[in-house]
Amino acid sequence: MNKQHRLAYSAIKEVSQGKHGALNKLLAVVGVSRQAYYKGLKRKETGWEIRDRQLKERVQHWFTCHNQGIGAGNLLVNLQHDESITFKVTHKMIRRVMRELGLRCQIRIKKHNRQKASEQYIQDNVLNQHFETTAPNEVWLSDSTELRFGLN
């Protein structure tokens, strides 16, 4: 039974108490037969609805314990270690429950530390392209080229 029917049945029950004929008119407005109304009042909660209610309670508990700073992944870890939850919980179930309860993780956007690029220093040309030496290992030369590509 969906949430709207449950709310409508409880409202009809409260309004029609002690008033003769009010039940028929209210059921006509809602568009529900008398048989469906009484069947809905006596209806028992199914196993799936019981598990869903437990899951909603525990998700709300863990979400408030972490000051709205926990997402579906971390909730899944906490619920898997929770002793009151005896059934298997999946990530999809937690996301559905969070959407139904209107829960969203309240974490600030991460800011990147931006650093100014270091200036390039060009060394003086000491040899001035005169490579004549009198002994070995007098002059060592190298050439380095830095290529930048990609995001950073």
Side-chain angles (χ1 to χ4, degrees):
M1 175 183 346
N2 65 17
K3 197 174 189 178
Q4 291 175 337
H5 282 230
R6 260 186 269 124
L7 292 173
Y9 291 167
S10 63
I12 289 171
K13 186 176 182 180
E14 288 179 19
V15 172
S16 66
Q17 290 249 330
K19 296 179 183 169
H20 186 67
L23 183 64
N24 288 334
K25 291 179 183 175
L26 290 171
L27 289 174
V29 169
V30 175
V32 177
S33 68
R34 184 185 291 256
Q35 180 185 7
Y37 168 70
Y38 282 116
K39 192 173 183 180
L41 285 181
K42 295 178 182 177
R43 183 177 177 276
K44 293 182 181 175
E45 210 173 19
T46 63
W48 189 88
E49 290 171 337
I50 291 169
R51 285 188 298 164
D52 196 45
R53 184 176 37 81
Q54 284 178 340
L55 185 62
K56 285 181 181 178
E57 289 171 1
R58 296 311 293 173
V59 164
Q60 185 70 50
H61 166 75
W62 284 110
F63 194 72
T64 53
C65 281
H66 288 276
N67 298 323
Q68 294 85 26
I70 188 170
N74 288 333
L75 273 172
L76 176 64
V77 172
N78 285 338
L79 289 172
Q80 286 172 344
H81 296 299
D82 197 342
E83 295 165 357
S84 63
I85 301 291
T86 57
F87 51 91
K88 185 180 179 196
V89 181
T90 62
H91 191 266
K92 193 173 179 181
M93 290 168 70
I94 294 172
R95 286 181 44 208
R96 176 186 53 82
V97 167
M98 286 181 73
R99 187 170 45 250
E100 287 174 3
L101 295 175
L103 303 178
R104 290 193 61 158
C105 183
Q106 302 292 325
I107 296 179
R108 67 173 177 81
I109 298 172
K110 292 181 178 145
K111 295 179 180 167
H112 301 285
N113 291 332
R114 306 279 185 212
Q115 294 178 352
K116 186 178 177 183
S118 60
E119 296 181 16
Q120 296 180 354
Y121 298 104
I122 299 174
Q123 296 292 329
D124 294 335
N125 189 0
V126 178
L127 291 176
N128 202 14
Q129 295 186 353
H130 294 291
F131 303 115
E132 290 130 17
T133 60
T134 56
N137 292 330
E138 241 183 76
V139 175
W140 285 56
L141 298 175
S142 69
D143 184 18
S144 63
T145 305
E146 181 179 348
L147 299 175
R148 292 180 171 245
F149 60 92
L151 295 176
N152 296 324

